Amino acid sequence: MGLTALKLELLMCLLAVAGLVTSVWWVWPRLSVRTWPAVIGRVAVLLGNQVLILVALALALNNYFGFYGSWSDLLGADDGVAAPIVSDAGDPGQAGRQIGGVQVVRTARVPPIEGHKGHPGGRLEQVVISGGASGLSAPAYVYLPPQYFEKKHVHTRFPVIVALTGYPGDARNLLTRMNMPAVAAMAIERHEMAPTVLVLMRPTVAPPRDTECMDVPGGPKVETYFAQDVRESMAGAFRVGTDAASWGIMGTSTGGFCALKISMRHPEAYSAVASLSGYFRAPTDATTGDLFGGDRRLQNENDLMWRLANLPPPPITALVTTSELGESNYRPTLDFLAAVRPPMRASSLILPSGGHNFNTWNRELPQALPWLAQQLHHPAEGHGGATPTPRS
């Protein structure tokens, strides 16, 4: 039974309830005598009930936030191959295609836009993106807008947005929990954004370690993977732009920090970024290990507030989001906005209330995604749409 299976979650909830009821009405009265075996029995009953309750809560929280997608992901034994896409049948001739650093595992059609029958939603390709510079590879989903397949655009190169989940996350969350391809297709149909290719990934490309998208000394080169390898492999396999002006990056939570950090450290790779509920300093804990190898300079250079205070600002455009109530990054986000200076530009999208969850990000995405696309260079000039309030 899969880690995220609803049956497993319901089973554990039933076991937790059954354990409590059985303990109160049947087991506990029989252990009320003052003997050592009875004392040990009572302790065992309490621990057993707590374990069942904690496991049930953990499964519910994992299914809601999408921390781990499978048992192998939880245990750090994920083989890096993406699971099949569940959608309408796509073009079977594309499956198994390998071009450069991109292997296409499966394709699927994105359903037509709701309320717009006859308007195709585009195509979704399940891929594995490999990088020569980093030596890393990771599963991803590539969304190709319907215009990508039109004859008049047969020689057109499209702008690209790389979208990252939080840690540990699962790229499928960007499909099942945020429905990014449908949001993009609707925004394109409404002329709120130009046709744009999306690359949907998670920042955990060396599971189970949380690298905070760093080139870890003596460890995985995750920053190189996203700043160089993903761009080069995608440009070799799809008709996408090759300069930074055509590339944007966004993410939620850890993915938001990664997106903002990579764009600030590599403006030659990404010219625009949207960080949804992101933070500004990499944490150090049991999931990250030693990210800096004792190098204070490296630690400072990955601290975004330190960069703004001590290094020339990068020529990028950024959007940061938070909520006045419910999110811990509210005050740090205001501090970040106040520290930004030209040529860097920053915009904000601040909700009155929200949380560090998919519900909040789904409220922000219909504005954040078109905003990011509008910052990119594309064959046709950008269309109008909702733009968050600029902060300089």
Side-chain angles (χ1 to χ4, degrees):
M1 194 178 298
L3 177 63
T4 59
L6 181 60
K7 289 182 179 179
L8 178 60
E9 184 179 343
L10 292 175
L11 176 61
M12 291 309 305
C13 289
L14 288 174
L15 286 175
V17 173
L20 285 172
V21 173
T22 302
S23 299
V24 171
W25 292 102
W26 189 78
V27 178
W28 201 260
R30 287 163 175 75
L31 298 175
S32 59
V33 296
R34 295 183 179 181
T35 63
W36 280 111
V39 171
I40 295 173
R42 290 197 294 269
V43 171
V45 168
L46 289 173
L47 289 176
N49 282 325
Q50 289 178 352
V51 168
L52 288 174
I53 292 171
L54 288 174
V55 170
L57 287 174
L59 287 172
L61 289 172
N62 181 70
N63 287 350
Y64 180 77
F65 288 103
F67 294 128
Y68 299 95
S70 65
W71 293 109
S72 59
D73 194 13
L74 174 64
L75 299 174
D78 198 330
D79 60 8
V81 178
I85 298 172
V86 179
S87 184
D88 295 337
D91 181 358
Q94 297 295 321
R97 175 167 55 96
Q98 174 95 35
I99 302 179
V102 177
Q103 178 188 4
V104 178
V105 178
R106 188 167 301 188
T107 70
R109 288 192 298 269
V110 176
I113 301 171
E114 186 176 353
H116 294 75
K117 291 185 177 180
H119 291 259
R123 191 165 78 193
L124 193 66
E125 299 204 344
Q126 175 190 337
V127 304
V128 176
I129 302 177
S130 301
S134 68
L136 297 172
S137 63
Y141 297 97
V142 175
Y143 167 69
L144 302 172
Q147 292 78 7
Y148 188 92
F149 305 99
E150 294 178 356
K151 289 185 178 179
K152 63 180 179 180
H153 292 304
V154 68
H155 298 298
T156 298
R157 285 189 172 268
F158 290 78
V160 186
I161 291 175
V162 176
L164 304 175
T165 66
Y167 171 83
D170 188 321
R172 284 172 293 187
N173 292 336
L174 300 175
L175 304 176
T176 61
R177 303 302 299 274
M178 298 186 71
N179 206 6
M180 277 195 180
V183 173
M186 181 60 74
I188 292 169
E189 176 67 20
R190 293 174 175 172
H191 303 298
E192 295 174 349
M193 61 183 279
T196 303
V197 172
L198 305 183
V199 185
L200 312 179
M201 308 186 71
R202 68 176 187 172
T204 313
V205 297
R209 188 173 187 182
D210 175 13
T211 64
E212 297 293 317
C213 296
M214 274 196 56
D215 282 357
V216 181
K221 298 181 178 179
V222 180
E223 184 174 335
T224 296
Y225 176 76
F226 283 112
Q228 181 177 341
D229 289 342
V230 169
R231 286 170 38 82
E232 291 180 355
S233 294
M234 283 294 299
F238 298 94
R239 298 196 317 275
V240 297
T242 56
D243 58 349
S246 299
W247 281 76
I249 185 169
M250 70 184 304
T252 61
S253 189
T254 297
F257 168 73
C258 284
L260 192 55
K261 184 188 75 167
I262 291 171
S263 61
M264 290 181 66
R265 287 174 57 84
H266 297 278
E268 78 285 356
Y270 298 96
S271 61
V273 55
S275 174
L276 279 57
S277 299
Y279 42 89
F280 307 98
R281 292 183 177 90
T284 301
D285 54 31
T287 65
T288 65
D290 183 5
L291 293 175
F292 310 108
D295 189 335
R296 183 67 180 181
R297 179 190 60 83
L298 184 61
Q299 183 174 355
N300 286 337
E301 290 178 354
N302 282 271
D303 182 327
L304 305 189
M305 296 302 296
W306 185 93
R307 295 187 68 87
L308 289 177
N310 296 277
L311 297 177
I316 64 170
T317 304
L319 169 67
V320 289
T321 79
T322 186
S323 303
E324 292 184 30
L325 297 174
E327 291 204 67
S328 61
N329 75 329
Y330 174 63
R331 181 54 57 182
T333 298
L334 296 185
D335 293 340
F336 178 85
L337 291 166
V340 171
R341 62 189 190 279
M344 184 175 178
R345 295 180 297 149
S347 299
S348 63
L349 196 166
I350 301 176
L351 300 178
S353 64
H356 202 76
N357 54 50
F358 287 107
N359 181 56
T360 297
W361 302 328
N362 280 324
R363 292 161 62 196
E364 296 167 342
L365 187 64
Q367 293 187 70
L369 186 61
W371 179 92
L372 183 55
Q374 291 167 18
Q375 314 307 310
L376 305 180
H377 171 78
H378 39 73
E381 291 299 321
H383 302 284
T387 304
T389 306
R391 293 280 192 93
S392 299

